[in-house]
Amino acid sequence: MDAHRKDIHNSDIPVLCRACEARHRGVCGALTSSQLLSLNKQSTRKHIEAGSELIGESQETSSYANIITGVVKLTKMMSDGRQQIVGLQFAPDFLGRPFRIDSGISADAATDVNVCSFPKAAIERMIKEAPELEHRLLEQTLKELDEARDWMLTLGRKTACEKVASFLYLIATHINPEADPDSASFELPLTRSDIADFLGLTIETVSRQLTKLRKEQVIVIRNNRHVEVPDLDKLAEFASQ
Amino acid sequence: MDAHRKDIHNSDIPVLCRACEARHRGVCGALTSSQLLSLNKQSTRKHIEAGSELIGESQETSSYANIITGVVKLTKMMSDGRQQIVGLQFAPDFLGRPFRIDSGISADAATDVNVCSFPKAAIERMIKEAPELEHRLLEQTLKELDEARDWMLTLGRKTACEKVASFLYLIATHINPEADPDSASFELPLTRSDIADFLGLTIETVSRQLTKLRKEQVIVIRNNRHVEVPDLDKLAEFASQ
DNA sequence: CGACCGATTGATGGAAATCAACCGCTGTGG
DNA sequence: CCACAGCGGTTGATTTCCATCAATCGGTCG
């Protein structure tokens, strides 16, 4: 992946981009430093508070964004109010659906979120100039497809307990990818209600399974939100994965 | 989409490609007639019988393919035997995971299938020459991602009856896309067992819901496999979509 | 302090899984 | 030719897991 990075020195990299993960693991890694500079002129950093909407369900959005920090949830809703979270996105994921207005999905900030936002047109023009950018988008889309299909197995075939364990495992391995691969300690980015919507369960069942995992000593729960996992392998067993 | 077709006349189009849907709606539409000709020299038509495997779960596959006719099911399996169908593919879908060996998915012919198969290397070389080809792959991948997320809502939040109705609606609208948009009549490409694995149910529940829909006069069942839907809108209501 | 919100826990009900019997069809072999 | 085994599918009886309904807890904010 690093082979695609056109820059060797940081000399002509925009200040805001220097520490940005999107330039390494994200889509911006596909750009030359001059392209990065031009895109940077049109980009703005934005802070979005937990709970507010990034992309409306079928409202047209005129910009794309990279997630800098925080967690974004992608939700589908039925007309009678039932809803399902169909994806979680972490830094440095690319946010926004290229080449189509909408697919009945809304994107909301699960936690406080910082994004780097660009006009749609700027990205689409740049795609034409840099095929490598489209390649990165394909890579991310394939990754999201894999994740969606993994989750389909969880939704369709796992028990409530396995679902909750799978969720905790997912968060433990995504919220801080560089951390210890054996144990983990983190703040849950979702409320019980969100977790239920992600797992196709009710909040009561989520709560019961969490206390079950706590009693089985698979996890330690501090403040309803803070979770510690002393042994990730053990958690994976409970998740059947 | 037609704007991308480089050919006006059929004169220099390979015989096998002339009637192929992949050249219109599929990935081959991204190729010039000379590229098509060169790819065609390396491609072979293959017939696969219902039930046999196209891509093993983690075995490396050295070729990609376009589906000419038939239905392919993508399956994920757990170590204890539970399984979930995570996608169905119809003509002229592209088959095979670009840029990665595997993602724990196996592809099996649900019905008898005809494919047009190419060596992996040929496609990957052609992607470098024709960015438009990668664009088509991105389009298809985004479509599959949308479908996967739609299905996540079905798996997580719908009742057994809504799931079965959703499945019938999916088949009715995909098996013959050009047909009457109001009613439908088709052979189910999946067994009851496959349907159960697609819906996250058991075969018994699938069977019960089918008879329920039959008694409610939403569908007519002829030979266990042949289904008629006199009113697709009514079916969509039962599917809550 | 009390209202409110998110979360937990308990009691009960229901939808789907499980267990089991049976149907209709096909192919096979005595 | 018929007996019967095998397979996919249906139907019935029972069980189980999760949803639903309801009460309570703990923390925060006005």
Side-chain angles (χ1 to χ4, degrees):
Chain A
M1 190 183 283
D2 275 354
H4 298 306
R5 286 170 58 193
K6 307 293 195 310
D7 60 295
I8 307 297
H9 311 297
N10 279 336
S11 48
D12 41 7
I13 303 297
V15 177
L16 277 174
C17 297
R18 276 183 207 165
C20 178
E21 272 304 307
R23 217 185 85 249
H24 302 300
R25 297 187 295 123
V27 289
C28 292
L31 303 174
T32 63
S33 53
S34 71
Q35 288 172 321
L36 202 56
L37 205 60
S38 122
L39 184 59
N40 185 259
K41 284 191 186 116
Q42 301 182 266
S43 75
T44 52
R45 297 281 173 126
K46 281 181 190 156
H47 179 85
I48 298 111
E49 283 192 9
S52 44
E53 190 173 70
L54 286 135
I55 301 175
E57 190 179 345
S58 42
Q59 114 205 10
E60 173 145 11
T61 335
S62 55
S63 58
Y64 296 137
N66 277 321
I67 302 176
I68 310 292
T69 62
V71 179
V72 173
K73 54 177 176 166
L74 306 178
T75 309
K76 270 189 166 291
M77 184 129 85
M78 291 170 61
S79 49
D80 62 4
R82 280 178 284 179
Q83 58 179 40
Q84 174 71 42
I85 294 180
V86 297
L88 290 180
Q89 308 213 270
F90 304 83
D93 287 345
F94 179 81
L95 207 60
R97 176 72 161 80
F99 320 121
R100 199 172 302 180
I101 310 300
D102 133 77
S103 48
I105 291 178
S106 61
D108 303 85
T111 62
D112 279 15
V113 168
N114 284 296
V115 298
C116 184
S117 168
F118 339 90
K120 220 171 175 174
I123 292 285
E124 287 176 356
R125 180 160 24 83
M126 213 155 274
I127 282 176
K128 294 209 183 79
E129 293 166 20
E132 174 65 16
L133 184 55
E134 188 149 56
H135 184 78
R136 288 279 175 127
L137 286 176
L138 178 56
E139 290 278 10
Q140 158 152 349
T141 307
L142 284 166
K143 191 196 73 179
E144 285 182 38
L145 184 57
D146 282 346
E147 287 168 353
R149 287 175 168 165
D150 280 344
W151 210 247
M152 287 172 74
L153 179 63
T154 300
L155 288 173
R157 290 302 186 196
K158 289 189 185 175
T159 64
C161 183
E162 289 169 330
K163 284 181 176 181
V164 171
S166 297
F167 167 73
L168 293 172
Y169 190 82
L170 175 78
I171 299 300
T173 51
H174 280 72
I175 203 126
N176 189 358
E178 316 307 328
D180 185 352
D182 298 327
S183 66
S185 169
F186 50 88
E187 295 290 311
L188 284 177
L190 302 187
T191 65
R192 298 292 187 273
S193 174
D194 283 337
I195 299 172
D197 283 340
F198 194 34
L199 295 170
L201 298 172
T202 59
I203 51 173
E204 293 94 331
T205 301
V206 170
S207 182
R208 275 183 248 275
Q209 300 306 325
L210 281 171
T211 60
K212 190 189 162 211
L213 289 172
R214 180 169 50 73
K215 283 178 182 162
E216 303 246 19
Q217 318 222 344
V218 182
I219 56 173
V220 180
I221 301 180
R222 296 249 178 269
N223 287 337
N224 285 345
R225 280 291 189 118
H226 188 97
V227 174
E228 285 168 26
V229 184
D231 182 353
L232 275 173
D233 289 340
K234 194 172 170 193
L235 181 61
E237 269 177 49
F238 275 79
S240 295
Q241 69 184 21
Chain B
M1 194 181 287
D2 275 356
H4 297 308
R5 287 168 58 193
K6 305 297 196 310
D7 60 297
I8 306 297
H9 312 295
N10 278 338
S11 49
D12 42 5
I13 302 298
V15 177
L16 277 173
C17 297
R18 277 184 205 165
C20 178
E21 272 304 306
R23 220 186 81 247
H24 304 300
R25 298 186 295 122
V27 289
C28 291
L31 303 174
T32 63
S33 53
S34 70
Q35 287 173 321
L36 202 56
L37 204 61
S38 119
L39 185 58
N40 185 260
K41 285 192 188 116
Q42 301 183 265
S43 76
T44 51
R45 296 281 172 124
K46 281 181 190 154
H47 178 86
I48 297 110
E49 282 190 11
S52 44
E53 191 173 67
L54 286 135
I55 301 174
E57 190 181 344
S58 42
Q59 112 204 15
E60 172 147 9
T61 335
S62 55
S63 59
Y64 296 138
N66 278 321
I67 301 176
I68 311 291
T69 61
V71 179
V72 172
K73 54 177 178 166
L74 305 178
T75 308
K76 268 189 168 289
M77 185 129 86
M78 292 170 61
S79 49
D80 61 4
R82 280 177 284 178
Q83 57 179 42
Q84 175 71 42
I85 293 180
V86 296
L88 289 181
Q89 309 215 269
F90 302 84
D93 287 346
F94 179 82
L95 206 61
R97 175 75 160 78
F99 320 122
R100 199 172 301 180
I101 310 300
D102 135 79
S103 49
I105 290 178
S106 62
D108 303 84
T111 62
D112 280 14
V113 169
N114 284 296
V115 299
C116 184
S117 168
F118 338 91
K120 220 170 173 176
I123 292 284
E124 287 176 354
R125 180 159 23 83
M126 213 156 272
I127 282 174
K128 294 208 182 81
E129 292 166 19
E132 173 64 17
L133 183 57
E134 188 150 56
H135 185 76
R136 288 279 175 124
L137 286 177
L138 178 55
E139 290 278 10
Q140 156 152 351
T141 307
L142 285 165
K143 192 196 73 179
E144 286 181 39
L145 183 58
D146 281 346
E147 287 167 355
R149 286 173 169 167
D150 279 344
W151 211 247
M152 287 173 75
L153 179 63
T154 299
L155 287 173
R157 289 303 185 194
K158 289 188 185 174
T159 64
C161 183
E162 289 170 329
K163 283 181 177 181
V164 171
S166 297
F167 167 73
L168 292 172
Y169 191 80
L170 175 78
I171 299 300
T173 52
H174 281 72
I175 202 129
N176 188 358
E178 316 305 330
D180 183 353
D182 298 327
S183 67
S185 170
F186 51 87
E187 295 290 312
L188 285 176
L190 301 188
T191 64
R192 298 292 187 273
S193 173
D194 283 337
I195 299 172
D197 283 340
F198 194 33
L199 295 170
L201 299 172
T202 59
I203 50 174
E204 295 95 329
T205 302
V206 170
S207 182
R208 276 184 248 275
Q209 300 306 325
L210 282 171
T211 61
K212 189 188 162 211
L213 289 172
R214 181 168 51 74
K215 284 179 182 160
E216 303 247 20
Q217 316 220 346
V218 182
I219 56 174
V220 180
I221 300 180
R222 297 247 179 268
N223 288 336
N224 285 345
R225 278 291 188 120
H226 188 96
V227 174
E228 284 167 26
V229 185
D231 183 354
L232 275 171
D233 289 342
K234 195 173 169 193
L235 180 62
E237 271 177 46
F238 274 80
S240 296
Q241 69 182 21

